[in-house]
Amino acid sequence: MSYRKTFKLICGFAGGSAVLVFAAAAADSRGYFGEQRGEAASRWSRFTVLQAAQPAWTPASHTPAPTGHSWDFNWDKRDPSTLTNGKKKETATEDPSSEQDNGKPKATRNILLIRHSQYNLSGNSDKERILTPLGREQAELTGKRLAALGLKYDVLVHSSMARATETAHIISKHLPGVELLSCDLLREGAPIEPVPPVTHWKPDAVQYHEDGARIEAAFRRYIHRADPKQKEDSYEIIVCHANVIRYFVCRALQFPAEGWLRMGLNNGSITWLTIRPSGRVALRTLGDSGFMPPDKLTRT
């Protein structure tokens, strides 16, 4: 086997140990490991050298260690097994489990979180930070995408900030008949100090204290399992901001909330959370913007 072929083979199998193995293979080919042997024996010797260069595989070395944190099924404080109304049973023959069964959620909530479109960064006030022409195009594309999904949307809630409001109104043109609501809790802000910290954005402690409480209140209002009275699965749209959405995702999946800034979201992107009656939460999409042409993608 030529040196070039031997070197390619070694690099493919040995990775970081390529230099060591190549030296061993070269020495073997010159007979430094013993007397000159036949071609079959030489191949076996090279194979043995390659095997020796590989780290020993064991299940323990390749299996991620559990964190020790179990899923909290009562994360939204709506687990029916923990809820009681304090009323006594009127008859001794009443099934003690009937009340709990009637109080169990039966529907799945689907929450589609939309980041607002590109806006004018040079505005001095919120009213001046309106969508750019490209931002309005992005909102149109997002509206068309939501309509194309063919889902029966129950409501479209949006942040009261100008850029989110304008985005929501453009989207709503593609979803006739869907109720449009505004909410101050969904305004942009600093939810919690990120870990690891960043140097380009450093809100003070007061902003974290005030914004964090408001954004957490928004999470508790909108992200929870269905009410027991809800009979059918629901699809709700929330148009808001990147910080709010990323914080919601971390909280809903029971990830460390301080990791929210490790994710990035394009303007007009769709993040889809599903909340089952049991309290299980799934992230179906995070920042989906594949429905937009590449030249329409921004992250401002």
Side-chain angles (χ1 to χ4, degrees):
M1 182 183 293
S2 68
Y3 287 123
R4 181 173 297 177
K5 290 183 178 179
T6 302
F7 183 73
K8 288 182 179 179
L9 178 64
I10 290 168
C11 290
F13 283 96
S17 304
V19 175
L20 175 62
V21 179
F22 180 69
D28 178 54
S29 68
R30 288 179 168 81
Y32 294 149
F33 289 160
E35 295 181 0
Q36 192 70 27
R37 291 161 294 181
E39 182 64 23
S42 180
R43 288 199 196 98
W44 175 252
S45 176
R46 293 188 184 98
F47 178 72
T48 303
V49 171
L50 289 173
Q51 273 194 319
Q54 299 301 305
W57 186 93
T58 62
S61 65
H62 288 74
T63 303
T67 63
H69 300 293
S70 60
W71 180 262
D72 177 12
F73 279 93
N74 195 31
W75 58 274
D76 59 352
K77 309 307 178 189
R78 296 169 186 249
D79 185 344
S81 65
T82 66
L83 299 176
T84 57
N85 58 14
K87 295 181 180 179
K88 294 182 179 180
K89 304 296 182 184
E90 295 183 358
T91 62
T93 59
E94 186 175 353
D95 183 357
S97 64
S98 62
E99 183 177 355
Q100 182 175 319
D101 289 339
N102 291 334
K104 284 184 177 181
K106 301 174 180 61
T108 295
R109 293 185 68 217
N110 294 275
I111 303 170
L112 288 81
L113 301 160
I114 313 298
R115 189 190 175 194
H116 61 77
S117 301
Q118 185 190 64
Y119 68 102
N120 174 27
L121 290 170
S122 61
N124 295 320
S125 65
D126 178 56
K127 291 182 179 181
E128 296 177 355
R129 296 180 186 134
I130 58 176
L131 300 186
T132 64
L134 175 56
R136 289 190 286 273
E137 286 186 63
Q138 292 170 339
E140 294 283 357
L141 291 168
T142 303
K144 291 177 181 178
R145 173 58 176 172
L146 292 170
L149 292 176
L151 303 174
K152 182 182 177 182
Y153 300 107
D154 296 88
V155 67
L156 196 169
V157 185
H158 61 85
S159 157
S160 57
M161 298 186 81
R163 54 189 182 271
T165 300
E166 189 176 358
T167 300
H169 280 270
I170 294 174
I171 291 175
S172 69
K173 293 189 302 181
H174 299 274
L175 306 173
V178 178
E179 184 179 12
L180 194 63
L181 301 174
S182 178
C183 179
D184 288 334
L185 292 178
L186 294 168
R187 294 172 71 88
E188 183 64 302
I192 186 173
E193 189 170 358
V195 176
V198 294
T199 58
H200 63 276
W201 185 72
K202 289 188 174 182
D204 56 33
V206 173
Q207 185 174 354
Y208 281 123
H209 180 70
E210 295 178 349
D211 291 351
R214 172 178 54 78
I215 295 172
E216 173 64 20
F219 173 81
R220 298 186 186 190
R221 173 178 290 188
Y222 294 109
I223 313 299
H224 55 77
R225 76 191 77 190
D227 187 275
K229 296 178 182 178
Q230 181 177 324
K231 304 303 181 184
E232 298 181 353
D233 294 351
S234 60
Y235 296 87
E236 304 159 47
I237 301 170
I238 299 178
V239 179
C240 53
H241 309 270
N243 295 0
V244 177
I245 295 172
R246 292 180 286 188
Y247 178 79
F248 280 10
V249 168
C250 288
R251 285 282 283 109
L253 298 180
Q254 299 186 23
F255 293 162
E258 61 270 18
W260 64 272
L261 198 51
R262 302 170 198 173
M263 296 177 277
L265 299 173
N266 287 335
N267 295 112
S269 61
I270 301 173
T271 296
W272 186 337
L273 286 171
T274 296
I275 307 176
R276 302 295 182 187
S278 65
R280 293 181 182 273
V281 180
L283 180 63
R284 296 189 61 172
T285 64
L286 176 66
D288 176 25
S289 55
F291 52 87
M292 294 189 187
D295 61 341
K296 304 297 182 184
L297 296 176
T298 60
R299 195 179 291 181
T300 56

